[in-house]
Amino acid sequence: TVPKGCVRNPMLSTSLTLYRLVVKGELGLNGCNLTLTDKLEVSGTLVANGGESVSTAGDIEFTGSLVGELGALELTGDAVQTITLGECNPRRLVVSKSGGSVAWAGDLAADVLSCAVTAPLMMTFAAGKTVTLKELRLDGAIGAAVGLILESSGEGQWKLKVSDSERVSGVAVANCDATGGLVIHGDAPYGDNGNNANWVFGAPVMRWIGKGSSDFRNAANWWPNGVPGEGSNAVMYTMSAETLTAVISAAYTRAAFM
């Protein structure tokens, strides 16, 4: 426990693994990482420099303040977790659980939310609250089956606003209003469990990631790896003009430039 009223506020000098951490005063991460096997509770102040990560297998109750930027917040283990982040908006939210569930309480904001499951997982989001992201990366497929379920934790829809890019597969979703941002494509395997807005399910999509070069015909520039052909649905999200070395065929059924 970090109490209130310390004469000198403590700062980490090395990365730590702890059972539980309660911050009532101020704690500086000072470039060090934290791993918790149980709960994180912050009613005081957490100071970060931007590159640190916090990993926890227990609940998070963040009702205090975050000074600076937290590089990553990772959820682990196979327990039921309830996550309240308040003013804590990390750059990356990483869900790497081996089971259990995650209940997100309140509004949620991060640059990236990613989740790749190895066992069935449910994530619930508070009805009426908004998840605001630049990038959404969800890989919920377990073989050919849906392994990740997204639902509202109350009556009504939860809101999703993705601004830059999305990649979703193996997900069953319900009660999600994504009209504040990009269209979300639920790739196979998928489950449309109803009351969703701005979602498209089951249409095969190739997404431009531009990692290999600016060559449209370079398979490394696309996810899944390959080159779109006749009848392909090609989606390109760009914040600036892309210089491509091949002409996009008029035969593509959809090309979205955003």
Side-chain angles (χ1 to χ4, degrees):
T1 298
V2 178
K4 292 182 180 179
C6 293
V7 175
R8 293 184 179 180
N9 292 318
M11 292 193 302
L12 299 185
S13 59
T14 187
S15 296
L16 294 176
T17 298
L18 304 172
Y19 174 67
R20 179 179 293 182
L21 178 62
V22 178
V23 179
K24 297 181 178 179
E26 180 177 304
L27 174 65
L29 296 180
N30 194 34
C32 302
N33 301 326
L34 274 174
T35 301
L36 305 172
T37 57
D38 197 66
K39 186 175 183 179
L40 171 63
E41 182 178 344
V42 179
S43 57
T45 302
L46 194 64
V47 182
N49 297 333
E52 302 96 339
S53 67
V54 174
S55 174
T56 178
D59 294 346
I60 298 177
E61 187 175 348
F62 203 111
T63 57
S65 59
L66 174 67
V67 175
E69 289 187 309
L70 182 63
L73 178 63
E74 183 178 16
L75 306 182
T76 62
D78 58 3
V80 173
Q81 290 178 280
T82 299
I83 309 299
T84 302
L85 292 184
E87 297 181 8
C88 179
N89 299 325
R91 290 178 180 173
R92 294 185 297 120
L93 283 169
V94 182
V95 181
S96 10
K97 292 176 64 62
S98 56
S101 64
V102 178
W104 301 96
D107 293 319
L108 180 65
D111 286 351
V112 182
L113 171 60
S114 65
C115 177
V117 304
T118 57
L121 179 69
M122 175 181 285
M123 293 201 293
T124 61
F125 300 86
K129 300 299 183 180
T130 302
V131 179
T132 303
L133 307 167
K134 291 182 179 179
E135 300 178 21
L136 178 65
R137 299 282 181 266
L138 302 178
D139 181 3
I142 301 176
V146 168
L148 179 60
I149 298 174
L150 310 180
E151 293 186 352
S152 171
S153 61
E155 295 184 2
Q157 292 177 306
W158 59 282
K159 299 179 181 180
L160 176 62
K161 183 178 180 181
V162 180
S163 62
D164 289 7
S165 65
E166 49 80 35
R167 192 169 71 203
V168 177
S169 64
V171 172
V173 61
N175 298 312
C176 179
D177 178 2
T179 54
L182 300 176
V183 174
I184 309 299
H185 298 89
D187 296 345
Y190 67 90
D192 179 3
N193 290 347
N195 199 25
N196 298 304
N198 211 33
W199 282 78
V200 175
F201 294 94
V205 175
M206 298 195 71
R207 294 174 175 80
W208 173 265
I209 56 176
K211 289 186 176 180
S213 66
S214 60
D215 188 348
F216 187 87
R217 302 189 188 279
N218 184 342
N221 287 326
W222 296 93
W223 184 89
N225 186 274
V227 178
E230 184 176 356
S232 296
N233 294 305
V235 180
M236 302 176 68
Y237 300 112
T238 68
M239 300 307 291
S240 61
E242 295 278 2
T243 301
L244 302 178
T245 59
V247 177
I248 300 175
S249 171
Y252 297 153
T253 59
R254 180 177 69 237
F257 298 86
M258 304 184 72

